[in-house]
Amino acid sequence: MSFGSLGLSDELLKTVEEQGYSTPSPIQIKAIPAVLSQRDVMAVAQTGTGKTASFTLPMLQLLSGDAIPSGAMQRGPSLQAKHVRALVITPTRELAAQVASSVKNYSRHLNIRSGVVFGGVRIEPQISELQGGLHMLVATPGRLIDLYNQQAINFDELEILVLDEADRMLDLGFIDDIRHIQMLLPPKRQTLMFSATFSSEIKLLAKGMLNNPLLIDVATANSTVDKVQQKIHPIDKERKGEVLIHLIKKNKWHQVLVFSRTKHGADSLVLQLEKAGINAASIHANRSQHARTLALDGFRNGKVVVLVATDIASRGIDVSQLPCVVNFDLPYVPEDYVHRIGRTGRAGHSGLAISLFSEDESKQLQSIERLIGHKFKLEIIPGFAPSKKAPVVSSDDDDEYGNFEADTKPQRRGQSQGRGRRGRK
């Protein structure tokens, strides 16, 4: 199947071709026609599946006034001051910036005005950008509410609402903000919800926000990417930094995304890596937006070899053909493991996910194994055997990570567990 068979306009097809895409992904095949028909959609799709284009492309077409179905609501062509016609809400600043960049790229041949707003930067330029009205706005919940309270934005003409990564919205405690924003929007609108899970919490949220939605489930909700080779290495907790440095130098990795459970741990690991002569940077909620942007840009252009991120800050980190992800700490919430390793092995490329496992993380490991339906073999790295013995299989030290083929095919995901944490993004 081609993009041309999905009902997209010539302008959008030209843009897709310029981006180098020829064949739509499964989520795009199902979601694009559904959005064009102006139905509400509840889509379950993991990261790296082309999810952003699956809602961005048809939204841009609807907003530009093309291919309106017979009997459907006609889209208004004009913009009014402070009004927005379509709103995409994301859980983090990085994801907001990524989606906004996709909107800009895909709308290059259309007369579409778009913008992005999030916290951590001055609000005045964002207020100025909203003055002339926007066809599409990408926003994080906290900053969006701040702008509304300052009367800088008007939702009276809103036609389309998208909740991107709705499961992460719940995990980060944004449910109250989402409910508040919902009360501000016109009840007659098209609503699209995208989530990596379809838990009972997501079902409840969808029931209150969507009208007779079409459910699209293109993949097992908890599936880890098929082309990601997953390794679990037991190691004493205090030697994790040492073994990470060993792996980076031995395998000559030039781009590694490392996940830390805490902000302090991320910063401490960066110092240890820098002392070992490895260029590194951290990205987490305590860093300014400017610092986060510089770190991410440096990682993308190759100046930063290791980017150490917390789970909250990692959403929106989209690096083409990222070869390797390392779990320096196992996450407390097992779903985060799936999201973490989903940063590699994207868009059909192979990838490698390494987890450094210490004895105090046994419960986390068991939870991950239950979630993905696969029991890992623990592989000792020669010279770094943990002081306490565990049932392990020694790895081949001659070629630890030469083969990037898949070695797991997880089963269906269970219910996600919200963490109740809240913070303005």
Side-chain angles (χ1 to χ4, degrees):
M1 181 174 287
S2 67
F3 279 98
S5 65
L6 301 180
L8 294 173
S9 66
D10 291 341
E11 292 84 359
L12 287 171
L13 291 176
K14 181 180 179 181
T15 301
V16 169
E17 183 179 356
E18 290 172 348
Q19 295 288 315
Y21 302 120
S22 57
T23 305
S25 68
I27 182 65
Q28 292 164 355
I29 290 172
K30 293 187 177 182
I32 288 176
V35 176
L36 286 175
S37 71
Q38 297 185 254
R39 285 201 61 176
D40 283 9
V41 171
M42 173 66 233
V44 181
Q46 63 192 39
T47 58
T49 58
K51 169 175 59 71
T52 301
S54 73
F55 64 80
T56 299
L57 290 171
M59 286 174 65
L60 288 170
Q61 181 153 316
L62 291 174
L63 292 169
S64 66
D66 293 331
I68 299 297
S70 176
M73 178 178 61
Q74 180 66 41
R75 306 287 180 177
S78 61
L79 290 175
Q80 295 188 36
K82 300 182 182 181
H83 287 71
V84 295
R85 293 178 54 198
L87 174 64
V88 181
I89 301 178
T90 72
T92 67
R93 305 167 188 174
E94 283 71 27
L95 183 57
Q98 176 192 320
V99 173
S101 176
S102 295
V103 172
K104 291 286 188 184
N105 288 335
Y106 291 135
S107 62
R108 65 177 63 179
H109 299 302
L110 300 173
N111 186 24
I112 293 289
R113 290 194 63 205
S114 62
V116 58
V117 297
F118 47 73
V121 296
R122 293 175 59 240
I123 197 171
E124 290 80 11
Q126 298 175 356
I127 293 175
S128 177
E129 185 175 30
L130 288 165
Q131 285 297 314
L134 296 172
H135 291 93
M136 191 183 301
L137 176 67
V138 185
T140 51
R143 179 51 61 93
L144 186 65
I145 292 174
D146 290 341
L147 287 163
Y148 182 84
N149 289 338
Q150 294 191 36
Q151 299 182 342
I153 190 169
N154 190 304
F155 299 122
D156 290 348
E157 294 184 358
L158 188 91
E159 301 161 15
I160 310 173
L161 169 68
V162 180
L163 287 184
D164 193 13
E165 300 202 355
D167 53 332
R168 179 55 58 173
M169 298 276 194
L170 298 182
D171 285 348
L172 298 181
F174 285 127
I175 184 62
D176 290 339
D177 285 344
I178 297 302
R179 294 293 190 196
H180 179 52
I181 292 168
Q182 181 185 8
M183 297 298 293
L184 306 176
L185 306 181
K188 187 178 180 180
R189 64 174 188 270
Q190 181 180 14
T191 303
L192 316 173
M193 186 179 295
F194 289 79
S195 175
T197 71
F198 196 42
S199 65
S200 57
E201 295 92 343
I202 292 296
K203 291 178 182 177
L204 184 62
L205 181 63
K207 183 178 181 180
M209 299 192 70
L210 279 68
N211 178 31
N212 189 29
L214 173 66
L215 175 61
I216 299 174
D217 190 347
V218 298
T220 302
N222 73 319
S223 63
T224 47
V225 184
D226 285 344
K227 292 191 176 182
V228 177
Q229 185 184 27
Q230 299 170 65
K231 297 279 188 178
I232 306 288
H233 293 309
I235 186 72
D236 289 334
K237 187 174 184 178
E238 60 273 13
R239 297 193 72 187
K240 283 188 175 185
E242 184 183 350
V243 78
L244 177 61
I245 292 168
H246 163 77
L247 291 174
I248 293 170
K249 292 186 174 181
K250 175 180 175 57
N251 296 287
K252 299 180 180 179
W253 290 336
H254 299 292
Q255 192 178 48
V256 188
L257 176 60
V258 178
F259 286 96
S260 169
R261 212 159 42 218
T262 67
K263 294 171 284 190
H264 174 73
D267 290 336
S268 296
L269 180 56
V270 167
L271 291 176
Q272 188 174 359
L273 291 167
E274 293 281 5
K275 287 180 180 179
I278 298 170
N279 290 335
S282 64
I283 182 169
H284 54 69
N286 277 6
R287 302 208 69 193
S288 69
Q289 186 57 43
H290 179 66
R292 288 159 72 163
T293 300
L294 286 178
L296 188 52
D297 287 346
F299 187 58
R300 284 175 172 150
N301 64 31
K303 293 181 180 178
V304 172
V305 174
V306 181
L307 183 65
V308 186
T310 57
D311 288 301
I312 291 178
S314 69
R315 289 305 180 96
I317 295 178
D318 187 9
V319 179
S320 177
Q321 300 183 38
L322 177 65
C324 184
V325 165
V326 175
N327 293 302
F328 191 78
D329 305 303
L330 292 183
Y332 285 123
V333 178
E335 284 83 0
D336 284 342
Y337 175 82
V338 178
H339 292 304
R340 287 178 177 188
I341 73 169
R343 301 294 102 189
T344 185
R346 304 184 72 158
H349 298 288
S350 59
L352 173 66
I354 302 286
S355 296
L356 305 182
F357 164 65
S358 55
E359 187 186 26
D360 62 311
E361 297 174 311
S362 296
K363 289 185 178 179
Q364 290 99 298
L365 181 61
Q366 291 169 5
S367 295
I368 292 168
E369 290 176 334
R370 283 195 300 269
L371 175 68
I372 67 175
H374 173 82
K375 191 168 182 64
F376 293 108
K377 292 181 179 179
L378 306 185
E379 300 183 14
I380 287 178
I381 298 174
F384 293 93
S387 56
K388 294 187 177 181
K389 298 296 182 182
V392 297
V393 177
S394 295
S395 63
D396 182 358
D397 193 43
D398 292 331
D399 184 15
E400 286 176 322
Y401 307 114
N403 184 0
F404 275 32
E405 293 179 0
D407 64 354
T408 61
K409 287 192 176 180
Q411 306 300 313
R412 184 162 185 82
R413 167 177 246 165
Q415 292 184 353
S416 67
Q417 300 178 14
R419 283 174 283 179
R421 293 181 304 183
R422 181 177 179 185
R424 295 268 175 167
K425 289 284 135 188

